[in-house]
């Protein structure tokens, strides 16, 4: 966030400069745009909901993550929301997904729901894995067929080809 | 307690459902199979802006007014009458214990005059205010930021128009304001100033109404399966909800109009948290993992109806008909391949939506969506889609043209999802489809409803509600 707003202010100030700076300015704008692009990436919360729905595939979940680059971004901490999600999450898929994105602080087995109220450090880790790890360009891959679903500009493309439906 | 609830005179059919949804959101206890209690002022028609509603506390009334789009204000009524003598008697007989705490010497107050359907000069207003000296005001007047706001509302019998009965009769109300609406939201969020727009982007006022019907609030997860430019989710995010959206059209949901003009940037524009996910997928063939259920608190959408904004689903037309085998995509072309799609009928689209909602909504979660109808002059009853998991709690019609309307349906999940229920739903669907197809034959609704031109027309209509000779009234406004 801080990097981005930094670029934003740069651009803002430079806009007032005389036009001979134009090429440099355009370059900075581009950098700022790329930086903004990075803010929105696929997160594990949605990875945990998706499977490969190609006709006939049996072993379709969880999708493997091929991460070219992972970014972390702070997201508001909302314990109520996390408690609601905790009950719905496939724990192992979350742990493995987080690992393949370079984060291995989650316990292998989901703790008792009581931990959600008593153990804030656990809740923070869960929050981080679920919402703050963002997959940069990459793919999620069907464990059975190897079919790659690309993640581009933060958006997983789950649409099937004609011969897959 | 009864409160006087004064509405803006627009989208009449949406007014009470909004208050009812918000009452629930703010903790009003409503018994099962019951709704809020409403009452009309004497001789007023249901389309009047003045209604009485029963709520258990002033705090709830205040919260509703603050969050509402169509409530102008909520008031504790101190007196009413058809003339100023009657008003005086009525105010005098209102218990002192209710009045005196708001008239104390240390407090500040303001009295405003409001009229409906009549104009009043400044001097006339002053006279009206000075006629209230029988109320023992001991505080100081403060016009800018008073502790207590009092309102005197006066209306004369309205004229008949288009052969419809008058909606208000001569009446005067005096009351203390308990809460009022923040319409500033609307200019800030209006589509005109929206960064990324599409032909079917949902107008800001309607998007907020939809988010209110869905009880969107902090800690909840709201999903739009036909997200388009994201305008419905923007309103849910404004009310604090987490959001998630999907669309089949990659150009709409991913590409937008450039790096800083897309669904994401519409959230950024208002400093709202980004959706937790945006996906490209087909709601006819959703990729949810098996076992996933009850994850969304609300589903809000404007499904694809009509020709230009019509639905598509995976598989080409010929493939779906079975006349050709699917084209096998060569290995080297697979990454950039754009799969062909076939038409997605309204009935099928709604069926998939109900199934999605039945499975993915939490118990008591809400499904809020638009449904097109043919207006029937003979007053025949319209059949809405049904599902055994859902109870229909609100139906709000917005008329688009002389023949077509769209209806905002609000459904609440009352039964958990199961395989038996899915089977029952399939049967209900077949019956609905049968009836619906018959009904479509004379309507050709696909080509007529939800054309963008219709949408812009509603917009224009709704702006002219101050027109002295409105063409429509009631839910037609
Ligand atoms: C009426 S528009 C919704 C517009 C949106 N409310 C907005 O504010 O921009 C319907 C959307 O549904 C999408 N759509 C059509 N068929 C679909 C399908 N089978 N699955 C998912 N989305 C679909 C269209 O691409 C279109 O963006």
């Amino acid at each position: 966030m801080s990097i981005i707003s930094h670029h934003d202010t740069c651009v803002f100030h430079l806009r007032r400069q005389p036009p001979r700076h134009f090429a440099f300015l355009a370059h900075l704008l581009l950098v700022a745009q790329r930086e903004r692009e990075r803010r929105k990436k696929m997160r594990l919360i949605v990875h945990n909901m998706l499977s490969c729905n190609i006709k006939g595939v049996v072993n379709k979940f969880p999708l493997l993550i091929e991460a070219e680059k992972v970014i972390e971004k702070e997201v508001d901490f909302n314990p109520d929301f996390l408690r609601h999600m905790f009950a719905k999450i496939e724990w192992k898929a979350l742990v493995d997904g987080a690992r393949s994105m370079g984060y291995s602080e989650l316990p292998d087995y989901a703790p008792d729901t009581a931990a959600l109220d008593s153990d804030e450090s656990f809740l923070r880790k869960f929050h981080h894995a679920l919402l703050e790890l963002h997959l940069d360009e990459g793919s999620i891959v069907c464990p059975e067929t190897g079919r790659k679903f690309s993640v581009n500009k933060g958006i997983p493309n789950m649409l099937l080809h004609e011969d897959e439906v | 307690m009864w409160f006087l609830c004064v509405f803006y005179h627009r989208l009449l059919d949406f007014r009470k459902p909004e208050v009812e949804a918000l009452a629930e959101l703010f903790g009003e206890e409503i018994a099962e199979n019951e709704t809020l209690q409403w009452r009309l002022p004497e001789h007023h028609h249901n389309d009047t802006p003045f209604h009485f509603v029963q709520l258990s506390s002033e705090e709830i009334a205040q919260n509703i007014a603050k969050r509402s789009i169509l409530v102008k204000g909520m008031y504790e009524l101190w007196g009413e009458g058809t003339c100023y003598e009657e008003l005086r008697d009525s105010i005098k007989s209102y218990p002192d214990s209710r009045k005196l705490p708001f008239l104390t010497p240390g407090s500040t107050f303001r009295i405003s005059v409001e009229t409906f359907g009549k104009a009043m000069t400044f001097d006339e207003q002053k006279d009206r205010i000075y006629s209230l000296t029988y109320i023992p005001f001991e505080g100081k007047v403060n016009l800018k930021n008073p502790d207590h706001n009092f309102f005197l509302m006066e209306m004369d019998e309205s004229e008949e128009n288009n052969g419809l009965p008058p909606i208000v009769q001569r009446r005067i109300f005096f009351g203390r304001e308990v809460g009022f609406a923040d319409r500033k939201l609307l200019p800030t969020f209006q589509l005109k100033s929206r960064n990324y727009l599409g032909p079917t982007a949902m107008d800001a006022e309607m998007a907020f109404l939809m988010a209110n019907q869905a009880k969107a609030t902090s800690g909840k997860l709201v999903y739009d399966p036909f997200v388009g430019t994201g305008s419905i989710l923007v309103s849910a995010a404004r009310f604090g909800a987490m959001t998630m959206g999907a669309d089949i059209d990659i150009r709409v949901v991913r590409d937008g109009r450039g790096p800083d003009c897309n669904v994401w940037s519409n959230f950024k524009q208002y400093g709202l948290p980004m959706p937790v996910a945006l996906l490209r997928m087909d709601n006819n063939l959703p990729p949810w993992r098996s076992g996933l259920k009850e994850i969304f608190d609300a589903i809000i959408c404007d499904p694809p109806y009509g020709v230009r904004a019509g639905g598509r689903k995976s598989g080409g037309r010929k493939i779906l008909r079975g006349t050709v085998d699917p084209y096998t995509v060569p290995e080297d072309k697979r990454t950039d391949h754009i799969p062909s799609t076939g038409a997605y009928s309204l009935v099928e689209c709604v069926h998939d939506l109900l199934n999605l909602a039945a499975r993915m909504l939490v118990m008591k979660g809400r499904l809020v969506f638009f449904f097109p109808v043919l207006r029937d002059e003979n007053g025949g009853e319209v059949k809405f889609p049904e599902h055994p998991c859902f109870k229909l709690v609100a139906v709000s019609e917005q008329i688009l043209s002389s023949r077509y309307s769209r209806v905002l349906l609000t459904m609440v999940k009352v039964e958990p999802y199961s395989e038996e229920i899915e089977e029952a739903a399939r049967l209900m669907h077949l019956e609905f489809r049968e009836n619906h197809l018959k009904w479509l034959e004379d309507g050709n609704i696909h080509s007529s409803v939800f054309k963008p031109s219709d949408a812009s027309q509603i917009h224009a209509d709704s702006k002219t509600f101050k027109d002295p000779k409105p063409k429509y009234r009631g839910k037609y406004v």
Side-chain angles (χ1 to χ4, degrees):
Chain A
M1 194 58 149
S2 64
I3 309 173
I4 298 136
S5 40
H6 173 69
H7 276 294
D8 280 346
T9 44
C10 275
V11 173
F12 181 70
H13 288 309
L14 281 168
R15 267 197 193 129
R16 289 139 195 261
Q17 298 290 317
R20 63 197 153 92
H21 288 291
F22 189 74
F24 177 58
L25 206 159
H27 168 75
L28 265 186
L29 264 172
L30 209 74
V31 172
Q33 270 169 3
R34 281 202 204 114
E35 209 58 60
R36 275 187 217 116
E37 282 305 296
R38 279 207 195 112
R39 301 166 61 192
K40 49 239 173 148
K41 298 298 149 189
M42 188 200 75
R43 318 187 207 187
L44 288 178
I45 184 175
V46 63
H47 168 257
N48 211 279
M49 300 184 192
L50 299 177
S51 67
C52 170
N53 60 340
I54 294 179
K55 205 168 164 192
V57 173
V58 181
N59 178 19
K60 43 173 87 168
F61 176 86
L63 299 166
L64 310 171
I65 296 178
E66 278 183 6
E68 282 154 34
K69 195 166 173 196
V70 175
I71 339 219
E72 301 186 6
K73 184 183 172 283
E74 221 175 287
V75 170
D76 285 345
F77 182 65
N78 187 328
D80 283 343
F81 178 72
L82 294 170
R83 280 187 204 107
H84 168 43
M85 282 303 134
F86 182 75
K88 309 294 170 187
I89 287 292
E90 265 301 322
W91 191 255
K92 189 164 170 352
L94 180 70
V95 175
D96 293 346
R99 280 219 184 95
S100 55
M101 289 166 81
Y103 181 73
S104 40
E105 305 283 303
L106 290 179
D108 282 344
Y109 295 96
D112 204 71
T113 31
L116 296 172
D117 297 316
S118 59
D119 185 349
E120 192 181 316
S121 106
F122 167 73
L123 206 58
R124 294 253 170 213
K125 286 177 191 160
F126 176 51
H127 168 75
H128 184 68
L130 195 69
L131 296 170
E132 295 188 327
L133 295 176
H134 292 59
L135 178 65
D136 207 1
E137 309 281 308
S139 318
I140 40 182
V141 184
C142 170
E144 184 174 309
T145 62
R147 159 73 144 98
K148 286 189 182 188
F149 297 92
S150 66
V151 178
N152 191 237
K153 296 190 189 169
I155 298 181
N157 183 349
M158 303 306 293
L159 201 66
L160 298 181
H161 299 316
E162 295 88 324
D163 51 355
E164 295 170 332
V165 295
Chain B
M1 285 171 83
W2 283 98
F3 292 91
L4 174 63
C5 174
V6 182
F7 289 109
Y8 287 99
H9 197 53
R10 51 189 285 99
L11 295 169
L12 306 194
D13 221 21
F14 292 71
R15 303 175 305 174
K16 286 185 187 176
E18 190 195 29
V19 170
E20 283 164 1
L22 293 179
E24 258 187 55
L25 175 65
F26 292 116
E28 179 73 42
E29 304 268 347
I30 303 167
E32 212 169 309
N33 295 321
E34 289 204 6
T35 51
L36 289 184
Q37 296 275 356
W38 292 91
R39 180 158 69 70
L40 281 174
E42 224 173 292
H43 306 305
H44 277 215
H45 181 278
N46 198 32
D47 289 341
T48 173
F50 304 92
H51 292 259
F52 292 103
V53 62
Q54 194 168 37
L55 297 166
S56 53
S57 77
E58 186 168 320
E59 192 191 343
I60 292 179
Q62 182 180 32
N63 286 334
I64 294 173
K66 251 198 244 164
R67 163 104 177 228
S68 163
I69 298 300
L70 296 174
V71 173
K72 196 174 197 174
M74 290 270 193
Y75 309 86
E76 181 196 14
L77 190 75
W78 283 18
E80 60 178 316
T82 49
C83 61
Y84 278 83
E85 290 71 51
E86 257 181 61
L87 179 71
R88 188 192 56 216
D89 295 345
S90 168
I91 294 178
K92 281 193 161 164
S93 63
Y94 192 64
D96 277 347
S97 61
R98 296 284 333 155
K99 291 184 295 200
L100 295 181
F102 303 98
L103 303 172
T104 53
S107 65
T108 55
F109 72 97
R110 174 178 67 192
I111 303 173
S112 317
V113 180
E114 293 238 321
T115 57
F116 182 78
K118 68 186 277 183
M120 214 187 262
T121 65
F122 184 68
D123 284 335
E124 283 171 324
Q125 294 190 20
K126 240 169 56 186
D127 288 346
R128 303 288 202 280
I129 291 175
Y130 283 111
S131 77
L132 297 171
T133 43
Y134 54 85
I135 303 175
F137 289 105
E138 296 201 29
K140 268 221 208 77
V141 173
N142 178 337
L143 297 183
K144 277 229 173 83
N145 192 17
D147 300 332
H148 309 302
N149 262 307
F150 296 94
F151 279 85
L152 183 73
M153 297 172 222
E154 188 179 321
M155 67 225 67
D156 285 341
E157 178 176 338
S158 57
E159 282 165 31
E160 285 196 5
N161 61 44
N162 282 0
L164 295 165
I167 59 172
V168 301
Q169 296 288 336
R170 172 152 177 85
R171 198 112 202 123
I172 308 156
F173 296 117
F174 181 80
R176 180 178 63 84
E177 182 184 80
V178 178
F180 61 96
D182 174 17
R183 294 273 293 187
K184 283 204 282 304
L185 220 56
L186 297 182
T188 313
F189 283 84
Q190 65 177 334
L191 289 182
K192 261 198 291 189
S193 55
R194 189 73 50 90
N195 188 342
Y196 172 45
L197 272 181
T200 56
M202 184 59 65
D203 142 77
E205 181 177 36
M206 194 54 87
F208 281 123
L209 283 172
M210 293 169 91
N212 276 344
Q213 286 304 124
K215 303 204 287 178
T217 193
S218 167
K220 305 285 182 206
L221 183 58
V222 173
Y223 179 59
D224 181 349
F226 308 106
V227 70
T229 60
S231 45
I232 298 175
L233 292 185
V234 163
S235 69
R238 173 61 185 71
F239 292 141
M242 301 277 206
T243 58
M244 176 167 156
D247 202 287
I248 199 171
D249 191 338
I250 194 112
R251 291 160 309 171
V252 174
V253 72
R254 185 189 68 193
D255 303 341
R257 297 195 209 292
D260 230 354
C261 182
N262 48 41
V263 181
W264 304 109
S265 75
N266 278 349
F267 288 77
K268 188 179 162 222
Q269 184 183 353
Y270 303 110
L272 296 171
M274 299 286 166
V276 295
L278 290 176
L279 292 166
R280 184 213 195 177
M281 62 170 234
D282 177 356
N283 197 47
N284 184 241
L285 262 179
W288 311 122
R289 72 166 151 88
S290 63
L292 181 70
K293 59 175 189 176
E294 306 201 344
I295 193 149
F296 302 127
D297 297 282
I299 293 177
I300 321 180
C301 61
D302 182 19
Y305 306 125
V307 170
R308 277 208 253 169
R312 310 296 298 171
K313 64 176 184 178
S314 302
R317 203 178 310 152
K318 289 182 180 161
I319 304 171
L320 292 170
R321 241 194 279 132
T323 46
V324 296
D325 281 337
Y327 160 68
T328 309
V329 188
E331 256 343 288
D332 56 320
K333 300 239 173 69
R334 290 198 92 94
T335 33
D336 293 323
H337 177 67
I338 298 179
S340 51
T341 51
Y344 192 22
S345 78
L346 175 148
V347 174
E348 203 175 1
C349 176
V350 167
H351 176 68
D352 290 341
L353 176 62
L354 282 165
N355 254 342
L356 165 86
R359 175 176 158 193
M360 301 294 257
L361 281 179
V362 299
M363 283 301 288
K364 296 211 173 149
R366 288 184 161 216
L367 169 63
V368 177
F369 67 105
F370 269 114
F371 186 76
V373 295
L374 255 182
R375 291 178 60 202
D376 183 351
E377 274 77 41
N378 312 323
E381 216 172 284
V382 187
K383 210 159 152 34
F384 296 120
E386 289 175 23
H387 191 285
C389 289
F390 286 98
K391 187 171 124 187
L392 183 64
V393 295
V395 176
S396 303
E397 183 179 13
Q398 183 187 32
I399 290 182
L400 300 174
S401 72
S402 56
R403 296 202 64 193
Y404 302 102
S405 293
R406 61 176 179 178
V407 173
L408 186 67
L409 300 179
T410 304
M411 299 185 173
V412 175
K413 182 165 163 186
V414 289
E415 288 291 334
Y417 183 72
S418 67
E419 266 163 32
E420 298 82 74
I421 282 216
E422 190 175 342
E423 177 57 19
R426 207 182 55 79
L427 296 176
M428 266 186 177
H429 169 68
L430 287 179
E431 188 192 321
F432 176 71
R433 180 196 185 106
E434 182 103 324
N435 289 334
H436 198 88
L437 287 179
K438 268 192 237 129
W439 169 71
L440 279 179
E441 273 159 17
D442 51 68
N444 193 17
I445 205 154
H446 286 275
S447 55
S448 311
V449 175
F450 292 93
K451 274 186 299 187
S453 62
D454 273 344
S456 59
Q457 199 186 325
I458 334 160
H459 207 72
D461 273 357
S462 62
K463 280 223 176 97
T464 55
F465 69 100
K466 277 191 182 142
D467 188 326
K469 286 197 209 92
K471 198 157 169 214
Y472 297 123
R473 208 190 70 207
K475 53 193 167 192
Y476 314 122
V477 173

